Structures are given as structure tokens and as C-alpha cells.
Amino acid sequence: DYELCEEWGHLYPVPREDLINLHREHLLHLLEVGDMEKALQLLQRIEDPGICLAITEQSLDQHLNLAASHFLADYLTAHFYASLTTARRNEIQALYIGSKVLLTLPELSRVNYFHLSSRPLLMLEQLLMNMKVDWVAVAVQTLHQLLSGQEIGFTVEDIDSLLSKYAEKALNFPFTLKEKRS
């Protein structure tokens, strides 16, 4: 049905907003079923870059599954980096990096941290508070690789500071002296 509507859009004048809605719904459907290849082909078929940007951004704001969010954030960064505001660019890059970090976690645990995918530093802190040290090690390694040369609102120094803070808390042992009783 989507493809038929797309053909009609080529033959007859369709209002811009209706065209955006059609392509967005088609893209969301393809991402929902996990067909990233067809989703990419759909985005490449759209000739107007303004419409393509609107569709991709609106789809990203739908908070889809992890793979879809990662795909859309990657596509926006690769094709529309210069067209985005600095704040939006940082938000999309944070989502991209957060989704990469989520992909390093065990599959069954990802759902517990998905809501933090756009805030990777907070995700890291949550992992530390949950005592998932092995996961933190992999997440930090991934973050160090991804942050080289990137500006997304936090730096490698912020990660190191967070790790130092929790390491200090882990070594803080409050104790009281026991009195000797006779």
C-alpha cells in the first residue's frame, strides 16, 4: 500500500505534509519489522532533502526500538549533520553513542537501560550503581572509542570523573569503634 501511495505521489500533486506523513509511516513500518535495507532505500528515493530530513527526525522522535533508533541517528548524522542545530546534533550523537553502548550489554538487560539511550553518561552511572562492573568496563571502552573527536555534551574526562567518584565511594567504609565490655 505504501508503494502504491508513493507512485501516486509521483503522478499527482500531493501536499508536502501528506507526503511527509506517508513516507514517515512507511519508514516506521519498515523499521518496526526490522528491514533496514528497505528503509535505507526509501530514504534514498526521496529527492527533496528537506522532506527526507523531516521524515527522519520525526521518526527518530517516535522512540522506536534500539536498532531503529541507532539506524536513524546514524543516518541523520551521516547525511544531515550540517543542517542540524548544535543542540539537536548533540542530542542525536548522544542517542547514537548511547545505542552503541546499549548494544554492548547482554541482550536481555538492554530493555532495563533503553530509556537512558539518549543519556549515555547517566546510563554508565546507572550501571555503576547496579554494580555491573563487567558491563561498565565494556561500556567505558566503547565510549572512549566513540568519543574521540566528538562533541556531544560530555567528554572522556567526565567519564573518568564519574568512575573516580564511584571508586572513591566504593572504598569509603564507615565504621564505629566497639567498646570493650566487661
Side-chain angles (χ1 to χ4, degrees), residues 47-98:
E47 295 170 3
D48 184 347
I51 290 177
C52 190
L53 174 61
I55 292 164
T56 313
E57 276 197 288
Q58 289 175 17
S59 298
L60 182 65
D61 292 337
Q62 295 290 317
H63 301 294
L64 305 166
N65 62 40
L66 176 61
S69 295
H70 186 73
F71 170 81
L72 291 169
D74 187 34
Y75 188 84
L76 279 166
T77 303
H79 294 88
F80 297 107
Y81 189 82
S83 304
L84 301 168
T85 64
T86 304
R88 184 67 171 161
R89 196 178 305 147
N90 288 348
E91 181 184 321
I92 290 169
Q93 286 181 317
L95 180 63
Y96 176 78
I97 288 174

Side-chain angles (χ1 to χ4, degrees), residues 14-53:
V14 176
R16 178 183 165 90
E17 199 57 41
D18 291 341
L19 200 57
I20 289 172
N21 289 337
L22 165 71
H23 288 306
R24 185 188 66 238
E25 292 303 317
H26 189 189
L27 179 63
L28 290 172
H29 169 73
L30 291 172
L31 293 173
E32 205 173 282
V33 298
D35 197 343
M36 303 303 172
E37 187 63 37
K38 281 191 178 179
L40 181 60
Q41 290 170 2
L42 169 67
L43 290 171
Q44 290 172 339
R45 279 196 311 268
I46 299 170
E47 295 170 3
D48 184 347
I51 290 177
C52 190
L53 174 61

Side-chain angles (χ1 to χ4, degrees), residues 5 16 18 24 36 39 51 56 58 64 66-67 92 111 120 126-127 139 145 147 150 165 168-169 182:
C5 289
R16 178 183 165 90
D18 291 341
R24 185 188 66 238
M36 303 303 172
I51 290 177
T56 313
Q58 289 175 17
L64 305 166
L66 176 61
I92 290 169
V111 70
Q126 187 69 47
L127 288 169
Q145 291 170 354
L147 284 177
Q150 299 272 350
K165 175 180 150 186
E168 182 180 314
K169 286 183 180 192
S182 56

